[in-house]
Amino acid sequence: MIGYATLGTNDIGKAQAFYDDLFESIGAKRIMEFPDSGFTMYGTAFDKPAIAVTPPHDGKAATVGNGTMVAIPFERRDQVDAFYNRAMELGGSDEGAPGLRGDEGPQAFYGAYFRDLDGNKLCAFRVGPA
């Protein structure tokens, strides 16, 4: 249902370095880039959901949305842990370490929350039993 989500940045070079390394850890890479605007999209294929970073089109400062978050699904809990840990190593900030939210079972929610270098909030998650 979602094609891609866009995150604003005030320093496209720092954002690209952060996301180049972070997304490489899960097999994603730059799949579209417009150097004049800074728009950079990351994904695994054009027919799969993607995430883009860009300075705002209106030329004003990028700000984070209160209550806005992009969530990235994983097949295993250890992948959630690894992705979160990589974000922390790259300078991201913790918003909730990896762990089970709620009860264990077929619809168990295991998530980890962090912010990128611009303060955009992301979640790595797995739904299902351990």
Side-chain angles (χ1 to χ4, degrees):
M1 183 164 110
I2 293 176
Y4 67 95
T6 302
L7 302 172
T9 182
N10 292 306
D11 187 330
I12 190 63
K14 284 174 85 173
Q16 288 170 328
F18 179 84
Y19 284 109
D20 284 349
D21 197 327
L22 182 64
F23 288 140
E24 179 184 42
S25 74
I26 59 169
K29 62 182 181 190
R30 293 184 193 190
I31 59 172
M32 182 183 293
E33 189 172 1
F34 298 110
D36 290 345
S37 68
F39 180 91
T40 307
M41 182 182 290
Y42 294 88
T44 56
F46 286 109
D47 63 342
K48 304 288 184 205
I51 293 176
V53 292
T54 188
H57 181 72
D58 65 7
K60 296 180 182 174
T63 59
V64 298
N66 186 20
T68 303
M69 181 180 72
V70 175
I72 303 167
F74 288 87
E75 293 182 11
R76 298 186 327 265
R77 292 180 181 183
D78 64 321
Q79 293 171 318
V80 170
D81 297 347
F83 192 69
Y84 167 87
N85 289 333
R86 189 69 191 135
M88 296 298 97
E89 292 168 4
L90 293 169
S93 59
D94 173 53
E95 283 283 314
L100 186 63
R101 274 54 175 189
D103 297 329
E104 186 63 80
Q107 294 181 337
F109 186 89
Y110 185 88
Y113 301 86
F114 64 92
R115 291 190 184 268
D116 70 7
L117 303 179
D118 285 287
N120 296 299
K121 189 171 182 179
L122 292 95
C123 170
F125 75 97
R126 153 85 170 128
V127 175

